[in-house]
Structures are given as structure tokens and as C-alpha cells.
Coordinates of all heavy atoms in Angstrom, one line a residue:
V1 N 158.5 200.8 176.9 CA 159.1 200.8 178.3 C 160.2 201.8 178.4 O 161.1 201.9 177.5 CB 159.6 199.4 178.6 CG1 160.3 199.4 180.0 CG2 158.5 198.4 178.5
R2 N 160.2 202.6 179.5 CA 161.2 203.6 179.7 C 162.5 202.9 180.2 O 162.5 201.9 180.8 CB 160.8 204.6 180.7 CG 159.5 205.4 180.2 CD 159.2 206.5 181.3 NE 159.3 206.0 182.6 CZ 159.7 206.7 183.6 NH1 160.2 207.9 183.5 NH2 159.8 206.2 184.8
V3 N 163.7 203.6 179.9 CA 165.0 203.0 180.3 C 164.9 202.9 181.9 O 165.4 201.9 182.4 CB 166.1 204.0 179.9 CG1 167.4 203.6 180.5 CG2 166.2 203.9 178.4
E4 N 164.4 203.9 182.5 CA 164.4 204.0 184.0 C 163.6 202.7 184.5 O 164.0 202.1 185.5 CB 163.7 205.2 184.5 CG 164.6 206.5 184.4 CD 164.6 207.0 183.0 OE1 163.8 206.5 182.1 OE2 165.4 208.0 182.7
D5 N 162.5 202.3 183.8 CA 161.8 201.2 184.3 C 162.6 199.9 184.2 O 162.5 199.0 185.0 CB 160.5 201.1 183.5 CG 159.5 202.3 183.8 OD1 159.7 202.8 184.9 OD2 158.7 202.6 182.9
K6 N 163.3 199.8 183.1 CA 164.2 198.6 182.9 C 165.3 198.6 183.9 O 165.7 197.5 184.3 CB 164.7 198.6 181.4 CG 163.7 198.4 180.4 CD 163.1 197.0 180.4 CE 163.9 196.0 179.7 NZ 163.3 194.7 179.6
L7 N 165.9 199.7 184.2 CA 167.0 199.8 185.2 C 166.6 199.2 186.5 O 167.4 198.6 187.2 CB 167.5 201.2 185.3 CG 168.3 201.8 184.1 CD1 168.6 203.2 184.4 CD2 169.6 201.0 183.9
Y8 N 165.3 199.3 186.9 CA 164.9 198.8 188.2 C 164.9 197.3 188.2 O 164.8 196.7 189.3 CB 163.5 199.3 188.5 CG 163.5 200.7 189.0 CD1 162.8 201.7 188.3 CD2 164.1 201.1 190.1 CE1 162.8 203.1 188.7 CE2 164.2 202.4 190.6 CZ 163.5 203.4 189.9 OH 163.5 204.7 190.3
L9 N 165.0 196.6 187.0 CA 165.1 195.2 187.0 C 166.5 194.7 187.4 O 166.7 193.5 187.7 CB 164.7 194.7 185.6 CG 163.3 195.0 185.1 CD1 163.1 194.5 183.7 CD2 162.3 194.4 186.1
N10 N 167.5 195.6 187.3 CA 168.9 195.1 187.6 C 169.1 195.0 189.1 O 168.3 195.6 189.9 CB 169.9 196.1 187.1 CG 169.9 196.2 185.6 OD1 169.6 195.2 184.9 ND2 170.1 197.4 185.0
R11 N 170.0 194.2 189.5 CA 170.4 194.1 190.9 C 171.9 194.5 191.0 O 172.7 194.3 190.1 CB 170.2 192.7 191.4 CG 168.7 192.3 191.4 CD 168.0 193.1 192.5 NE 166.5 192.9 192.5 CZ 165.7 193.7 191.8 NH1 166.1 194.7 191.2 NH2 164.4 193.4 191.8
Y12 N 172.3 195.0 192.2 CA 173.6 195.4 192.4 C 174.2 194.9 193.7 O 173.5 194.8 194.7 CB 173.7 197.0 192.5 CG 173.1 197.6 191.3 CD1 171.7 197.9 191.3 CD2 173.8 198.0 190.2 CE1 171.1 198.6 190.2 CE2 173.2 198.6 189.1 CZ 171.9 198.8 189.1 OH 171.3 199.4 188.0
L13 N 175.4 194.5 193.6 CA 176.1 194.2 194.9 C 177.1 195.3 195.1 O 178.1 195.4 194.4 CB 176.8 192.8 194.8 CG 177.4 192.3 196.1 CD1 176.3 192.3 197.2 CD2 177.9 190.9 196.0
V14 N 176.9 196.2 196.1 CA 177.7 197.3 196.3 C 179.0 196.9 197.0 O 178.9 196.3 198.1 CB 176.9 198.4 197.0 CG1 177.8 199.6 197.4 CG2 175.7 198.9 196.2
D15 N 180.1 197.3 196.5 CA 181.4 197.1 197.2 C 181.6 198.3 198.1 O 182.3 199.3 197.7 CB 182.5 196.9 196.2 CG 183.8 196.3 196.7 OD1 183.8 196.1 197.9 OD2 184.7 196.1 195.9
A16 N 181.1 198.3 199.3 CA 181.1 199.5 200.2 C 182.5 200.0 200.4 O 183.4 199.3 200.7 CB 180.5 199.1 201.5
G17 N 182.7 201.3 200.2 CA 183.9 202.0 200.4 C 184.9 201.8 199.3 O 186.1 202.3 199.4
R18 N 184.6 201.1 198.2 CA 185.5 200.9 197.1 C 184.8 201.2 195.8 O 184.6 200.3 195.0 CB 186.0 199.4 197.1 CG 186.9 199.1 198.3 CD 187.5 197.7 198.3 NE 188.3 197.6 197.1 CZ 189.4 196.8 197.1 NH1 189.7 196.1 198.2 NH2 190.1 196.7 196.0
A19 N 184.5 202.4 195.6 CA 183.8 202.9 194.4 C 184.7 202.6 193.2 O 185.9 202.9 193.2 CB 183.4 204.3 194.5
H20 N 184.1 202.0 192.1 CA 184.9 201.7 191.0 C 185.1 202.8 190.0 O 185.9 202.7 189.1 CB 184.3 200.5 190.2 CG 183.0 200.7 189.6 ND1 181.8 200.8 190.3 CD2 182.7 200.9 188.3 CE1 180.9 201.0 189.4 NE2 181.3 201.1 188.2
I21 N 184.4 203.9 190.3 CA 184.6 205.2 189.5 C 184.9 206.3 190.5 O 184.1 206.4 191.5 CB 183.4 205.5 188.6 CG1 183.1 204.3 187.7 CG2 183.7 206.7 187.8 CD1 181.8 204.5 186.9
K22 N 185.9 207.1 190.2 CA 186.2 208.2 191.1 C 186.2 209.5 190.2 O 186.8 209.5 189.1 CB 187.5 208.1 191.8 CG 187.5 206.9 192.8 CD 188.8 206.9 193.6 CE 188.7 205.8 194.7 NZ 189.2 204.5 194.2
V23 N 185.7 210.6 190.8 CA 185.7 211.9 190.1 C 186.9 212.6 190.7 O 187.1 212.7 191.9 CB 184.4 212.7 190.3 CG1 184.6 214.1 189.8 CG2 183.2 212.0 189.7
R24 N 187.8 213.2 189.8 CA 188.9 213.9 190.2 C 188.4 215.2 191.0 O 187.5 215.9 190.5 CB 189.8 214.3 189.0 CG 191.1 215.0 189.4 CD 191.8 215.5 188.2 NE 190.9 216.4 187.4 CZ 191.3 217.1 186.3 NH1 192.5 216.9 185.8 NH2 190.5 217.9 185.7
P25 N 189.0 215.5 192.1 CA 188.6 216.7 192.8 C 188.7 218.0 191.9 O 189.7 218.1 191.2 CB 189.6 216.8 194.0 CG 190.0 215.4 194.2 CD 190.0 214.8 192.8
H26 N 187.8 218.8 191.9 CA 187.8 220.0 191.0 C 187.0 221.1 191.7 O 186.2 220.9 192.6 CB 187.2 219.7 189.7 CG 185.8 219.1 189.8 ND1 185.5 217.8 190.1 CD2 184.6 219.7 189.6 CE1 184.2 217.6 190.2 NE2 183.6 218.7 189.9
T27 N 187.2 222.3 191.2 CA 186.4 223.5 191.7 C 185.3 223.8 190.7 O 184.2 224.0 191.0 CB 187.3 224.7 191.9 OG1 188.1 224.9 190.8 CG2 188.1 224.6 193.1
T28 N 185.7 223.7 189.4 CA 184.7 223.9 188.3 C 184.8 222.7 187.4 O 185.9 222.4 187.0 CB 185.0 225.2 187.5 OG1 185.1 226.3 188.4 CG2 183.9 225.5 186.5
P29 N 183.7 222.1 187.1 CA 183.8 220.9 186.2 C 184.2 221.2 184.8 O 183.7 222.3 184.3 CB 182.4 220.3 186.3 CG 181.5 221.4 186.7 CD 182.3 222.3 187.5
S30 N 185.0 220.4 184.1 CA 185.3 220.6 182.7 C 184.0 220.3 181.9 O 183.0 219.7 182.4 CB 186.4 219.6 182.3 OG 185.8 218.3 182.3
P31 N 183.9 220.7 180.6 CA 182.8 220.3 179.8 C 182.5 218.8 179.7 O 181.4 218.4 179.8 CB 183.2 220.9 178.4 CG 184.1 222.0 178.7 CD 184.9 221.5 179.9
Q32 N 183.6 218.0 179.7 CA 183.4 216.6 179.6 C 182.8 216.1 180.9 O 181.8 215.3 180.8 CB 184.8 215.9 179.5 CG 185.4 216.1 178.1 CD 186.4 217.3 178.2 OE1 186.2 218.3 179.0 NE2 187.4 217.3 177.3
L33 N 183.3 216.6 182.0 CA 182.7 216.1 183.3 C 181.3 216.6 183.5 O 180.4 215.8 183.9 CB 183.6 216.6 184.5 CG 183.3 216.1 185.9 CD1 183.3 214.6 185.9 CD2 184.2 216.7 186.9
L34 N 181.0 217.8 183.1 CA 179.7 218.3 183.2 C 178.7 217.5 182.4 O 177.5 217.3 182.8 CB 179.7 219.8 182.8 CG 178.5 220.7 183.1 CD1 178.2 220.6 184.6 CD2 178.7 222.1 182.6
S35 N 179.1 217.1 181.2 CA 178.2 216.4 180.3 C 177.7 215.0 180.9 O 176.6 214.5 180.6 CB 178.9 216.1 179.0 OG 179.8 215.1 179.1
L36 N 178.5 214.5 181.8 CA 178.1 213.2 182.4 C 176.8 213.3 183.2 O 176.1 212.3 183.3 CB 179.2 212.7 183.3 CG 180.6 212.5 182.6 CD1 181.6 211.9 183.6 CD2 180.5 211.6 181.3
V37 N 176.5 214.4 183.7 CA 175.2 214.6 184.5 C 174.1 214.2 183.6 O 173.1 213.7 184.0 CB 175.1 216.0 185.0 CG1 173.8 216.3 185.6 CG2 176.3 216.4 186.0
N38 N 174.2 214.5 182.3 CA 173.1 214.3 181.3 C 173.2 212.9 180.6 O 172.2 212.4 180.2 CB 173.0 215.4 180.3 CG 172.6 216.7 181.0 OD1 171.7 216.7 181.8 ND2 173.2 217.8 180.7
V39 N 174.4 212.5 180.4 CA 174.6 211.3 179.5 C 174.5 209.9 180.2 O 174.2 208.9 179.6 CB 175.8 211.4 178.6 CG1 175.8 212.6 177.7 CG2 177.1 211.3 179.4
C40 N 174.8 209.9 181.5 CA 174.8 208.6 182.2 C 173.4 208.1 182.2 O 172.5 208.7 182.8 CB 175.4 208.8 183.6 SG 175.2 207.3 184.6
P41 N 173.2 206.9 181.7 CA 171.8 206.3 181.6 C 171.3 206.0 183.0 O 170.1 205.9 183.2 CB 172.0 205.1 180.7 CG 173.4 204.7 180.9 CD 174.2 206.0 181.0
A42 N 172.2 205.8 183.9 CA 171.7 205.4 185.3 C 171.7 206.6 186.2 O 171.4 206.5 187.4 CB 172.6 204.3 185.9
H43 N 172.0 207.8 185.7 CA 171.9 209.0 186.5 C 172.8 208.9 187.7 O 172.4 209.3 188.8 CB 170.5 209.4 186.9 CG 169.6 209.5 185.7 ND1 169.7 210.5 184.7 CD2 168.5 208.8 185.3 CE1 168.8 210.4 183.8 NE2 168.0 209.3 184.1
C44 N 174.0 208.4 187.5 CA 174.9 208.3 188.6 C 175.6 209.6 189.0 O 176.1 209.8 190.1 CB 176.0 207.3 188.3 SG 175.4 205.6 188.2
Y45 N 175.7 210.5 188.0 CA 176.4 211.8 188.2 C 175.4 212.9 188.5 O 174.3 213.0 187.9 CB 177.2 212.2 186.9 CG 178.4 211.3 186.7 CD1 178.2 210.2 185.9 CD2 179.6 211.6 187.2 CE1 179.3 209.3 185.6 CE2 180.7 210.8 186.9 CZ 180.5 209.6 186.2 OH 181.6 208.8 185.9
E46 N 175.8 213.7 189.5 CA 174.9 214.8 189.9 C 175.8 216.1 190.2 O 176.9 215.9 190.6 CB 174.1 214.5 191.2 CG 172.9 213.6 191.0 CD 172.1 213.4 192.2 OE1 172.7 213.6 193.3 OE2 171.0 213.0 192.1
M47 N 175.2 217.2 190.0 CA 175.8 218.5 190.4 C 175.4 218.7 191.8 O 174.3 218.7 192.2 CB 175.3 219.6 189.5 CG 175.8 220.9 189.8 SD 177.4 221.3 189.1 CE 176.9 221.8 187.4
N48 N 176.4 219.0 192.7 CA 176.1 219.3 194.1 C 175.8 220.8 194.2 O 175.9 221.6 193.3 CB 177.2 218.8 195.0 CG 178.4 219.6 194.9 OD1 178.5 220.7 194.4 ND2 179.5 219.0 195.5
S49 N 175.5 221.2 195.4 CA 175.0 222.6 195.6 C 176.1 223.6 195.5 O 175.8 224.8 195.3 CB 174.4 222.7 197.0 OG 175.4 222.4 198.0
T50 N 177.4 223.2 195.5 CA 178.5 224.1 195.3 C 179.1 224.0 193.9 O 180.2 224.6 193.7 CB 179.6 223.9 196.4 OG1 180.0 222.5 196.4 CG2 179.0 224.3 197.8
G51 N 178.4 223.3 193.0 CA 178.8 223.4 191.6 C 179.8 222.3 191.2 O 180.4 222.4 190.1
Q52 N 180.1 221.3 192.0 CA 181.0 220.2 191.6 C 180.1 219.0 191.2 O 179.0 218.9 191.7 CB 181.9 219.8 192.7 CG 183.1 220.7 193.0 CD 182.7 221.7 194.1 OE1 182.1 221.4 195.1 NE2 183.1 223.0 193.9
V53 N 180.7 218.2 190.3 CA 180.0 217.0 189.9 C 180.4 215.8 190.8 O 181.6 215.6 191.0 CB 180.4 216.7 188.4 CG1 179.8 215.3 188.0 CG2 179.8 217.8 187.5
E54 N 179.4 215.1 191.3 CA 179.7 214.0 192.2 C 179.1 212.7 191.6 O 178.2 212.8 190.8 CB 179.0 214.2 193.6 CG 179.6 215.4 194.3 CD 178.9 215.6 195.7 OE1 177.7 215.1 195.8 OE2 179.4 216.3 196.5
I55 N 179.6 211.6 192.0 CA 179.1 210.3 191.5 C 178.7 209.4 192.6 O 179.3 209.4 193.7 CB 180.2 209.6 190.6 CG1 179.6 208.3 190.0 CG2 181.5 209.3 191.4 CD1 180.4 207.7 188.9
T56 N 177.6 208.7 192.4 CA 177.2 207.6 193.3 C 177.1 206.4 192.4 O 176.3 206.3 191.5 CB 175.8 207.9 193.9 OG1 175.8 209.1 194.6 CG2 175.4 206.8 194.9
T57 N 178.1 205.5 192.6 CA 178.2 204.4 191.6 C 177.3 203.2 191.9 O 177.3 202.3 191.1 CB 179.7 203.9 191.7 OG1 180.0 203.4 193.0 CG2 180.7 204.9 191.3
D58 N 176.5 203.3 192.9 CA 175.7 202.1 193.3 C 174.8 201.6 192.1 O 174.6 200.4 192.0 CB 174.7 202.4 194.4 CG 175.5 202.8 195.7 OD1 176.8 202.8 195.6 OD2 174.9 203.0 196.7
G59 N 174.3 202.4 191.3 CA 173.4 202.0 190.2 C 174.1 201.9 188.8 O 173.4 201.7 187.8
C60 N 175.4 202.0 188.8 CA 176.1 202.0 187.5 C 175.9 200.7 186.8 O 176.1 199.6 187.4 CB 177.6 202.2 187.8 SG 178.7 202.0 186.4
V61 N 175.6 200.8 185.5 CA 175.4 199.6 184.7 C 176.7 199.2 183.9 O 176.7 198.3 183.0 CB 174.2 199.7 183.7 CG1 172.9 199.8 184.5 CG2 174.4 200.9 182.8
E62 N 177.8 199.9 184.2 CA 179.1 199.6 183.6 C 179.0 199.7 182.0 O 179.7 198.9 181.3 CB 179.6 198.2 184.0 CG 179.8 198.1 185.5 CD 180.0 196.7 186.1 OE1 180.5 195.9 185.3 OE2 179.6 196.5 187.2
C63 N 178.3 200.7 181.6 CA 178.2 200.9 180.1 C 179.5 201.5 179.5 O 179.7 201.3 178.3 CB 177.0 201.7 179.8 SG 177.2 203.5 180.3
G64 N 180.3 202.2 180.3 CA 181.5 202.7 179.8 C 181.4 204.1 179.1 O 182.4 204.6 178.7
T65 N 180.2 204.7 179.1 CA 180.0 206.0 178.4 C 180.9 207.0 179.1 O 181.6 207.8 178.4 CB 178.5 206.4 178.5 OG1 177.8 205.4 177.9 CG2 178.3 207.7 177.7
C66 N 180.8 207.1 180.4 CA 181.6 208.1 181.1 C 183.1 207.9 180.9 O 183.9 208.8 180.9 CB 181.2 208.2 182.6 SG 181.5 206.7 183.5
R67 N 183.5 206.6 180.8 CA 184.9 206.3 180.6 C 185.4 206.9 179.3 O 186.5 207.4 179.3 CB 185.1 204.8 180.7 CG 186.5 204.4 180.6 CD 186.6 202.9 180.7 NE 188.0 202.5 181.2 CZ 188.4 201.3 181.4 NH1 187.5 200.3 181.3 NH2 189.6 201.1 181.9
I68 N 184.6 206.7 178.3 CA 185.0 207.2 177.0 C 185.1 208.7 176.9 O 186.0 209.3 176.4 CB 184.0 206.7 175.9 CG1 184.2 205.2 175.7 CG2 184.2 207.4 174.5 CD1 183.1 204.5 174.9
I69 N 184.1 209.4 177.6 CA 184.0 210.8 177.6 C 185.1 211.5 178.5 O 185.7 212.4 178.1 CB 182.6 211.3 178.0 CG1 181.6 210.9 176.9 CG2 182.6 212.8 178.2 CD1 180.2 211.1 177.3
A70 N 185.2 211.0 179.7 CA 185.9 211.8 180.7 C 187.2 211.2 181.3 O 187.9 211.8 182.0 CB 185.0 212.2 181.8
E71 N 187.5 209.9 180.9 CA 188.7 209.4 181.4 C 189.9 209.9 180.7 O 191.0 210.3 181.3 CB 188.7 207.9 181.4 CG 189.9 207.3 182.3 CD 189.9 205.8 182.4 OE1 189.8 205.1 181.4 OE2 189.9 205.3 183.6
P72 N 189.9 210.1 179.3 CA 191.0 210.6 178.6 C 191.4 212.0 179.1 O 192.6 212.4 179.1 CB 190.6 210.7 177.2 CG 189.5 209.6 177.1 CD 188.8 209.6 178.4
S73 N 190.5 212.8 179.6 CA 190.8 214.2 180.0 C 191.2 214.2 181.5 O 191.5 215.2 182.1 CB 189.6 215.1 179.9 OG 188.4 214.5 180.5
G74 N 191.2 213.0 182.1 CA 191.6 212.9 183.5 C 190.6 213.3 184.5 O 190.9 213.4 185.7
D75 N 189.4 213.5 184.1 CA 188.3 214.0 185.0 C 187.8 212.8 185.9 O 187.3 213.1 187.0 CB 187.1 214.5 184.2 CG 187.5 215.9 183.6 OD1 187.9 216.8 184.3 OD2 187.3 216.0 182.4
I76 N 187.9 211.6 185.4 CA 187.5 210.5 186.3 C 188.5 209.4 186.2 O 189.3 209.3 185.2 CB 186.1 209.9 185.8 CG1 186.1 209.3 184.4 CG2 185.0 211.0 186.0 CD1 184.9 208.5 184.1
E77 N 188.4 208.5 187.1 CA 189.2 207.3 187.1 C 188.3 206.1 187.1 O 187.4 206.1 188.0 CB 190.1 207.2 188.4 CG 191.1 206.1 188.5 CD 191.8 206.0 189.8 OE1 192.1 207.1 190.3 OE2 192.0 204.9 190.3
W78 N 188.4 205.2 186.2 CA 187.4 204.2 186.0 C 188.0 202.8 186.0 O 188.9 202.5 185.3 CB 186.7 204.4 184.6 CG 185.4 203.9 184.3 CD1 184.2 204.6 184.2 CD2 185.0 202.5 184.0 NE1 183.2 203.8 183.9 CE2 183.6 202.5 183.7 CE3 185.7 201.3 183.9 CZ2 183.0 201.3 183.4 CZ3 185.1 200.2 183.6 CH2 183.7 200.2 183.4
N79 N 187.5 202.0 186.8 CA 187.9 200.6 186.9 C 186.7 199.7 187.0 O 185.7 200.1 187.5 CB 188.8 200.3 188.1 CG 190.1 201.1 188.1 OD1 191.0 200.8 187.3 ND2 190.2 202.2 188.8
Y80 N 186.8 198.5 186.5 CA 185.7 197.5 186.7 C 185.6 197.2 188.2 O 186.6 197.2 188.9 CB 185.9 196.2 185.9 CG 185.5 196.4 184.5 CD1 186.5 196.5 183.5 CD2 184.2 196.5 184.1 CE1 186.2 196.7 182.2 CE2 183.9 196.7 182.7 CZ 184.9 196.7 181.8 OH 184.6 196.9 180.5
P81 N 184.4 196.9 188.7 CA 184.3 196.5 190.1 C 185.0 195.2 190.3 O 185.3 194.4 189.4 CB 182.8 196.3 190.3 CG 182.1 197.0 189.2 CD 183.1 197.0 188.0
R82 N 185.4 194.9 191.6 CA 186.0 193.7 191.9 C 185.0 192.5 191.5 O 183.8 192.7 191.5 CB 186.3 193.6 193.4 CG 187.4 194.5 193.8 CD 187.9 194.1 195.2 NE 186.8 194.3 196.2 CZ 186.9 193.8 197.4 NH1 187.9 193.0 197.8 NH2 185.9 194.1 198.3
G83 N 185.6 191.3 191.3 CA 184.8 190.2 191.0 C 183.7 190.0 192.0 O 183.9 190.0 193.2
G84 N 182.5 189.7 191.5 CA 181.4 189.4 192.4 C 180.6 190.7 192.7 O 179.4 190.6 193.2
Y85 N 181.2 191.9 192.5 CA 180.5 193.1 192.8 C 180.0 193.8 191.6 O 180.4 193.5 190.5 CB 181.4 194.0 193.6 CG 181.7 193.5 195.0 CD1 182.9 192.8 195.2 CD2 180.9 193.8 196.0 CE1 183.2 192.4 196.5 CE2 181.2 193.3 197.3 CZ 182.4 192.6 197.5 OH 182.7 192.2 198.8
G86 N 179.1 194.8 191.7 CA 178.6 195.6 190.6 C 177.3 195.1 190.2 O 176.5 194.5 190.9
V87 N 177.0 195.4 188.9 CA 175.6 195.1 188.4 C 175.4 193.7 188.0 O 176.3 192.9 187.6 CB 175.4 196.0 187.1 CG1 176.3 195.6 186.0 CG2 173.9 196.0 186.7
L88 N 174.2 193.2 188.3 CA 173.8 191.9 187.9 C 172.6 192.1 186.9 O 171.5 192.5 187.4 CB 173.4 191.0 189.1 CG 172.7 189.7 188.8 CD1 173.7 188.7 188.1 CD2 172.2 189.0 190.0
F89 N 172.8 191.8 185.7 CA 171.7 192.1 184.7 C 170.7 190.9 184.8 O 171.0 189.8 184.8 CB 172.3 192.2 183.3 CG 173.1 193.5 183.1 CD1 174.4 193.4 183.1 CD2 172.4 194.7 182.9 CE1 175.2 194.6 182.9 CE2 173.1 195.8 182.8 CZ 174.5 195.8 182.8
K90 N 169.4 191.3 184.8 CA 168.4 190.3 184.7 C 167.6 190.5 183.5 O 167.1 191.6 183.2 CB 167.4 190.5 186.0 CG 168.2 190.3 187.3 CD 167.3 190.5 188.4 CE 166.5 189.2 188.7 NZ 165.7 189.2 189.9
F91 N 167.5 189.5 182.7 CA 166.8 189.6 181.4 C 165.4 189.1 181.5 O 165.1 188.2 182.3 CB 167.6 188.9 180.3 CG 169.0 189.4 180.1 CD1 170.1 188.9 180.7 CD2 169.2 190.6 179.3 CE1 171.3 189.4 180.6 CE2 170.4 191.1 179.2 CZ 171.5 190.5 179.8
G92 N 164.5 189.6 180.6 CA 163.2 189.1 180.5 C 162.2 189.9 181.3 O 162.6 190.9 181.9
Ligands
SF4_1 FE1 176.9 205.9 184.2 FE2 177.7 204.1 182.3 FE3 179.5 205.6 183.6 FE4 178.2 203.7 184.9 S1 179.7 203.4 183.2 S2 178.5 205.8 185.7 S3 176.2 203.7 184.0 S4 177.9 206.4 182.2

């Protein structure tokens, strides 16, 4: 089973307007920030048409990978979603 197929089993409650991860405004992404486009298992990070990295947190599984890579360098700000929001894992 592919990771992408398993991700579709999860459910999310989106906290509209209160993204739990923010990307610091930048003109050129740092190597750490750029790597997130490839390492995020939920493909939340994308390069836009003008070369900046953007995030859509709706499908985030809160794995913390991007936090470990890019929060120490100040490229992102990472917080857990508010209670009741975020990913709901469904097993089986
Ligand atoms: Fe992607 Fe994990 Fe970061 Fe969420 S916490 S945006 S799933 S790398």
C-alpha cells in the first residue's frame, strides 16, 4: 500500500484562518526550507511560480519532520493545532 493511499484514510478538522504552521516570508528559500517540498509525507509544501515555498496545512499529519528540519533555522513557525482541530487518525 502506498503512503498516499493510507493518507486518504485520515480525516482533518481544518481550523480556518489559523494555520498551525507558518512559512517565514522569503525571496529565495533556504536549503532547509526547500527540502520540505520533498520530505513532507503529506506534500503540504509546494514551490510557487515565483520561487517561494508555500504551505497548505490542511493535510498535515503532525509528524514533526518539517519542525526538526526548518524551525531551528527560523524558516517556519510550528505549533500544534488547537484542541479538537487537525488530523484524526483512523486505523485499520
Ligand atoms: Fe508535513 Fe509532517 Fe510538517 Fe505536517 S508536520 S507539514 S506532515 S512534514
Side-chain angles (χ1 to χ4, degrees):
V1 176
R2 298 182 318 139
V3 171
E4 286 78 6
D5 294 333
K6 294 291 278 185
L7 287 173
Y8 282 118
L9 299 175
N10 295 327
R11 294 292 174 264
Y12 306 89
L13 188 57
V14 176
D15 197 357
R18 295 184 60 149
H20 67 286
I21 304 171
K22 295 187 176 84
V23 173
R24 186 185 59 175
H26 56 281
T27 48
T28 307
S30 70
Q32 293 91 333
L33 186 56
L34 195 56
S35 74
L36 302 183
V37 174
N38 293 316
V39 302
C40 172
H43 303 295
C44 293
Y45 291 89
E46 282 184 342
M47 175 88 80
N48 69 17
S49 59
T50 53
Q52 285 94 41
V53 173
E54 295 181 339
I55 184 169
T56 305
T57 58
D58 296 3
C60 171
V61 295
E62 299 165 31
C63 69
T65 304
C66 61
R67 185 177 202 178
I68 291 169
I69 293 174
E71 195 176 49
S73 56
D75 288 307
I76 65 169
E77 183 187 323
W78 202 107
N79 294 288
Y80 282 105
R82 288 194 297 163
Y85 292 95
V87 66
L88 171 66
F89 290 103
K90 300 180 82 173
F91 299 97

